[in-house]
Amino acid sequence: MYMTHLECPKCSAKHTPHKLTQLCPECGAPLLVRYDLAKVKANFSKEDLIKRKPDLWRYRELLPLVDETNKISLGEGMTPLLALSKLGRQLNIELYLKDEGIIPGGTFKARGAAVGVSRAKELGVTSLAMPTNGNAGAAWAIYAAKADIDAYIVMPVDAPAITRNECAIAGAKLFLVKGLISDAGKIVGRAVAKLGCMDASTLKEPYRIEGKKTMGLEIAEQLAWEVPDVILYPTGGGVGLIGIYKAFLELRQIGWTGNKLPRLVAVQAAGCAPIVKAWEEKKAASEFWDNAATVAFGITVPKALGDFLVLDAIYQTNGCAVAVTDEEILNDQAELASVEGTFVCPEGAANYTAAKKLCASGWIKPNEKVVMLNTGAGLKYPDTVRVHVPVLQPDEDIPL
Amino acid sequence: MYMTHLECPKCSAKHTPHKLTQLCPECGAPLLVRYDLAKVKANFSKEDLIKRKPDLWRYRELLPLVDETNKISLGEGMTPLLALSKLGRQLNIELYLKDEGIIPGGTFKARGAAVGVSRAKELGVTSLAMPTNGNAGAAWAIYAAKADIDAYIVMPVDAPAITRNECAIAGAKLFLVKGLISDAGKIVGRAVAKLGCMDASTLKEPYRIEGKKTMGLEIAEQLAWEVPDVILYPTGGGVGLIGIYKAFLELRQIGWTGNKLPRLVAVQAAGCAPIVKAWEEKKAASEFWDNAATVAFGITVPKALGDFLVLDAIYQTNGCAVAVTDEEILNDQAELASVEGTFVCPEGAANYTAAKKLCASGWIKPNEKVVMLNTGAGLKYPDTVRVHVPVLQPDEDIPL
């Protein structure tokens, strides 16, 4: 175990990792996990990975669990990195899809939940609460069930219906709110104060990022440690982008990759684009986005707690931020499925729209290696697909 | 490439694999792919697997593709084998779940489609047609899209709605029928005769089994080549069970496992249990099951073309066949999710009911190593979950 401390990226205060700490007690910012990377470099080699299982725990030297027996796993990680050769050819780039639909619960949220719940269990947590746009709550609910931790989940009534079912069948204490995730967050805040349970809200505990970080580690390993030129990420709370950035910084520090970093692109829906607006105005933080609405429900986050970390990752990597419309998203979702066979979620499809725009503008250059994160399986969002199917009687023929 | 020929398990006729052959031209039975297993044994070792990607193509020496460049892959295979330690302890057995929900499209159908479509492409197929209870059609639709093959899919109006969306968004030519999969099969039969396209119906082409076979290969590899005592499989068409049996026979022949075979258990719903009835009557084939109906829609197959192969696999391995009720299935689906965090499909849950019955009867003995196949993600079947969720106003508190 190489974890040394928790660090505040805002006020630089250091805190012990050996008790549950939520936000920085000194300034209220999200905390980051730090490791003794020199020691990791000395003791961990790429060859160590060869015989390890294809799940995210293969990178245990860069993960915060002290005792492996506290691991709560449903087989998450090492999702496919698919070459989308037909669409890549059209754009004259080397295009990949990191398909996070192929993971327990069908979304990338499994990573944060697996590491977050495992570490919560290790720290003796017996109950947790969180607001969610659906998928994170579902993921934490199933891992909490496996860990025998009580989970209080609050989600907007408009969140995808299937995520309710997941929470309910996993035995979580589930509540809907007539409002947005920000309203759910306030309810959770009051419940945490009353119940004394862990607050598992996005970035209000430091371990979820560590799980999400493994997306970056896997991308690097799957590309044989060659850093891609661009990574596009559909950005709501932005934890994945923060985590991927942290992964590439850590890989650089342990000497597994060169100096190069991928240019990170935050993709948002035009109906909720606070990060894009802040980036365009070259600001360090975003403002609350009023009347947020998009078909890509998972990225309907009007103001992310970690916005400053997302923007910093973009600035530091010479990345950018792009907004796309719901109509573009739905068209590109269908194009991805019908051309490449990948039925991605609307959030994932937004990346492809953004990639096309950035190729057209010249920001992505010919032959660059570009990775798009599909954050979830399209099958969790049945309402985004328009289907008109002929119905036949048993004695009828297919009309030719 | 070690494939030598296609063989009829009924009349023993041999056929060339180098052109598209559907059923045995001599007797109409499904065909099996045969390999030069002595040569495989000489040239393929367990150590070869260590550096290969964690997908089903790692077993290429036991797969029918002649040219790797014809491979159509969405990253399928090497699904997790999860130890269900809490439920296993209750039953006093070593209980595992092979979770086929974590695969493109969320069901085990991806395996048959990946290998079947890849081989179809290799043989020059440009269009295919198939009847389906939903998931197989969805899987073949996405792989056909990737392969630029036209897919005609016919499914019952009662098939899970999400599978329609998958077919539609992948660009398949989709039709619903007011009837069962057997009615869809007749429509497909007429269309195949008219269109001259490939008939991708269950077991009417020999390559789908080869894809399903990889479930058995993976189980063996994941258990470090120790053959489990029992494998439970939710049985509709039964291709997976036939494939798993074939896998263990081949592994035995290439010397990777000892003489032991797993006892194979066909699990069916009480509302559609033709294999169970045939097994109880010690018959070699099943009879058409009238008025078939169960919540486990994927196994609503009143008469499987490969029933004689399923029954043979059960008899040869000293296995058995078990029927379970819909109520038991739904209760056990909830138990699996709330205790082990695994949200499985009703078909997958049926295995757990069957395992409990077989432990109670003594057929499964204490400490035996038992593997249950979960054939798909529970999130594809939202209607099987009963949810009653309180709705809060933003200023309301969680009731404690």
Side-chain angles (χ1 to χ4, degrees), chain A residues 176 190 340 392 396-397, chain B residues 146 176 190 392 396-397:
Chain A
L176 303 180
R190 296 195 298 268
E340 296 284 1
L392 307 176
E396 271 185 279
D397 279 349
Chain B
K146 179 92 175 165
L176 303 181
R190 296 195 297 269
L392 307 176
E396 270 185 279
D397 279 349

Side-chain angles (χ1 to χ4, degrees), chain A residues 103-157:
Chain A
I103 202 165
T107 80
F108 75 127
K109 300 288 187 181
R111 294 181 189 267
V115 175
V117 169
S118 295
R119 184 68 184 139
K121 188 181 161 74
E122 184 158 84
L123 290 167
V125 168
T126 57
S127 64
L128 58 85
M130 68 187 299
T132 176
N133 271 338
N135 283 321
W140 283 70
I142 59 175
Y143 284 91
K146 179 94 175 161
D148 295 318
I149 290 175
D150 286 334
Y152 294 82
I153 311 286
V154 188
M155 66 172 72
V157 285

Side-chain angles (χ1 to χ4, degrees), chain A residues 254-281:
Chain A
I254 65 169
W256 287 21
T257 53
N259 268 327
K260 181 177 170 181
L261 291 173
R263 288 160 16 235
L264 297 176
V265 180
V267 179
Q268 297 201 300
C272 183
I275 299 287
V276 177
K277 182 164 181 285
W279 177 78
E280 284 171 348
E281 296 168 354

Side-chain angles (χ1 to χ4, degrees), chain A residues 296-376:
Chain A
F297 200 81
I299 53 175
T300 319
V301 180
K303 163 77 179 169
L305 187 60
D307 57 354
F308 70 103
L309 294 171
V310 172
L311 287 158
D312 184 55
I314 297 173
Y315 295 133
Q316 295 295 331
T317 62
N318 298 311
C320 68
V322 180
V324 301
T325 68
D326 280 7
E327 200 192 325
E328 291 171 321
I329 288 174
L330 294 180
N331 286 337
D332 284 332
Q333 188 191 29
E335 187 176 353
L336 279 161
S338 61
V339 176
E340 296 284 1
T342 50
F343 181 19
V344 305
C345 62
E347 295 83 351
N351 281 331
Y352 177 52
T353 308
K356 287 197 286 192
K357 283 180 195 285
L358 293 173
C359 284
S361 74
W363 193 90
I364 293 177
K365 288 171 274 301
N367 303 315
E368 284 200 315
K369 205 185 281 280
V370 176
V371 177
M372 306 187 294
L373 255 297
N374 173 38
T375 45

Side-chain angles (χ1 to χ4, degrees), chain A residues 83-86 338-341, chain B residues 72-74 141-148:
Chain A
L84 302 189
S85 49
K86 286 191 267 179
S338 61
V339 176
E340 296 284 1
Chain B
I72 302 295
S73 175
L74 296 169
I142 60 174
Y143 284 91
K146 179 92 175 165
D148 295 317

